[in-house]
Amino acid sequence: MDEKRSYLDTPAYTAFLTVVAFWAAASSGTASYVRVGAGLCAAGAAAHFVRLLVERRRDRRGAAEAAEVADS
């Protein structure tokens, strides 16, 4: 049985967080130190997003291989 995950750990929320942070970093109406901080948050969120996608792919591939072994 799969554990129920928090919505904060889903790829959709992480993608949303990445877009918001990049938007804040690109906004010329904010102070430069805020834009630098938002840029760092955007980079971290983008890295986390990629990690989530790689883990999902690995889990799906592992489940498919386990099902294939179980069928044979």
Side-chain angles (χ1 to χ4, degrees):
M1 177 187 250
D2 291 333
E3 283 187 33
K4 186 170 173 97
R5 291 192 318 188
S6 169
Y7 74 94
L8 297 174
D9 203 24
T10 61
Y13 179 75
T14 305
F16 172 74
L17 182 64
T18 303
V19 168
V20 169
F22 272 121
W23 189 296
S27 176
S28 61
T30 56
S32 61
Y33 68 90
V34 173
R35 293 192 336 227
V36 169
L40 292 173
C41 288
H48 182 64
F49 179 67
V50 169
R51 195 189 95 210
L52 282 175
L53 292 180
V54 167
E55 285 178 357
R56 278 180 77 185
R57 187 177 199 187
R58 186 179 309 138
D59 290 344
R60 286 182 182 171
R61 187 176 294 160
E65 288 176 1
E68 186 177 300
V69 169
D71 287 342
S72 55

